[in-house]
Amino acid sequence: MGTVLDSHFLALTALVTVGYQLVFFIITALLRFDKVTDFAGSTNFVIIAVLVAALKGTWHFRQIVLTVLVIIWGLRLAVFLLMRILQWGEDKRFDEMRSNLGKLAVFWTFQAVWVWTVSLPVTIVNASSRNPSIEARDIIGWIMWAIGLAVEAIADQQKLKFKNSPSNRGKWCNVGLWSYTRHPNYFGEMFLWWGVFVASTPVLSGAEWLVILGPIFLTLLLLFVSGIPLLESSADKRFGRSEEYRTYKKTTSPLIPLPPVVYGALPDWFKVAFLLELPLYNPGPERDPVS
């Protein structure tokens, strides 16, 4: 098993990821400084992609493209999130963790697992000696990545601009892409990483197809754990008594972008079955955001 892991650089990337996250965990724990958390996660993806490509040294066109895509995504997100937290001053996710070393350690461990797992498609492609010709799956994956990145980046900027406006203080973001989906940034992130997986498939063989666990893990994480559920709960607590917010939530898709007039007219069972309007996001009586 060790030989298999090393031939794909899986053991090495795991060690690098744990070490990199451990450094930032120590900084956070000792200095109570949590402004580098998202920076540490995003840049770790870049380090893994570049490290494996450099160690393998084959530099096939597909490897170069996927590595560049990860670099662009990782650096954009890292810089955006770092500048945002420096501007806002604190990360509310860590309000209960700053004085609890155990919870903080769990968070950083989970972040290391997230980075390593989601990076699997790029890791395996960059570690491979196979170099089949560029085909439709490559192009489709690259297009998916471009669409996903555009959606994520535009959504981030729209929300930042909205929250920075004094006239919007105490309001939820419902402009631009946020009027078509309650979480356009998460839709973009899922879509781009599924694109990376699609673009990796021409190289995959046998057990290497298990790299699909990368985008699956990301999707499940954002749908059920640390993404949408936390933000939905937070928004419900802040705005749930507002009739306007309740209307926004009922007429705006949780993830997949759709015109409000279309989404609002769909039956509840269809929203739950096909558009991910999960009961988890509407915990009140009759799944209403406000009890």
Side-chain angles (χ1 to χ4, degrees), residues 260-282:
V261 65
V262 174
Y263 187 78
L266 294 172
D268 289 344
W269 67 266
F270 188 91
K271 294 177 181 179
V272 173
F274 299 105
L275 296 175
L276 302 172
E277 189 67 82
L278 306 179
L280 177 66
Y281 309 151
N282 299 286

Side-chain angles (χ1 to χ4, degrees), residues 7-258:
S7 69
H8 291 85
F9 299 103
L10 297 180
L12 177 63
T13 53
L15 289 172
V16 169
T17 299
V18 170
Y20 190 67
Q21 297 303 311
L22 180 61
V23 169
F24 284 98
F25 164 70
I26 293 173
I27 293 173
T28 302
L30 293 181
L31 303 180
R32 304 261 179 114
F33 184 77
D34 51 41
K35 294 180 174 62
V36 294
T37 306
D38 293 314
F39 179 86
S42 302
T43 54
N44 204 156
F45 284 91
V46 176
I47 291 172
I48 288 178
V50 173
L51 176 64
V52 176
L55 290 175
K56 185 63 176 179
T58 48
W59 299 109
H60 298 148
F61 182 69
R62 181 180 288 103
Q63 294 172 332
I64 294 173
V65 171
L66 286 179
T67 300
V68 168
L69 298 188
V70 172
I71 291 173
I72 293 172
W73 171 81
L75 293 184
R76 185 214 69 88
L77 189 61
V79 172
F80 171 78
L81 294 176
L82 180 61
M83 297 305 293
R84 187 183 69 176
I85 193 61
L86 290 176
Q87 178 183 350
W88 289 356
E90 65 176 3
D91 192 332
K92 293 182 179 180
R93 292 175 303 174
F94 293 93
D95 288 347
E96 297 180 359
M97 297 185 196
R98 293 186 183 95
S99 58
N100 190 318
L101 193 62
K103 288 184 178 180
L104 199 62
V106 170
F107 173 87
W108 282 95
T109 300
F110 202 74
Q111 177 152 288
V113 173
W114 165 63
V115 171
W116 186 83
T117 305
V118 177
S119 292
L120 282 174
V122 178
T123 300
I124 295 302
V125 169
N126 284 354
S128 179
S129 298
R130 291 186 295 276
N131 186 29
S133 300
I134 300 300
E135 56 183 83
R137 283 180 290 174
D138 294 283
I139 307 301
I140 292 171
W142 300 341
I143 292 173
M144 289 175 64
W145 175 89
I147 293 172
L149 181 72
V151 170
E152 183 180 43
I154 292 171
D156 284 342
Q157 291 300 322
Q158 287 176 338
K159 187 171 186 178
L160 183 64
K161 182 179 179 180
F162 182 90
K163 290 180 72 77
N164 284 341
S165 174
S167 62
N168 293 324
R169 191 158 298 166
K171 299 180 180 179
W172 64 94
C173 184
N174 60 352
V175 300
L177 293 173
W178 298 85
S179 65
Y180 293 94
T181 162
R182 305 200 297 269
H183 304 281
N185 53 337
Y186 289 156
F187 172 81
E189 182 156 346
M190 290 183 201
F191 202 69
L192 75 86
W193 279 108
W194 277 103
V196 169
F197 166 72
V198 171
S200 75
T201 56
V203 173
L204 303 181
S205 175
E208 291 174 350
W209 280 91
L210 289 174
V211 301
I212 196 175
L213 293 175
I216 288 176
F217 179 82
L218 174 66
T219 301
L220 296 178
L221 179 68
L222 294 180
L223 286 178
F224 298 104
V225 186
S226 69
I228 295 178
L230 294 181
L231 293 182
E232 289 284 316
S233 176
S234 175
D236 285 351
K237 289 177 182 177
R238 293 184 62 192
F239 311 116
R241 298 192 178 278
S242 165
E243 184 62 33
E244 188 178 353
Y245 169 77
R246 292 158 66 97
T247 299
Y248 167 75
K249 190 165 184 178
K250 289 178 181 178
T251 59
T252 308
S253 169
L255 185 68
I256 302 169
L258 283 174

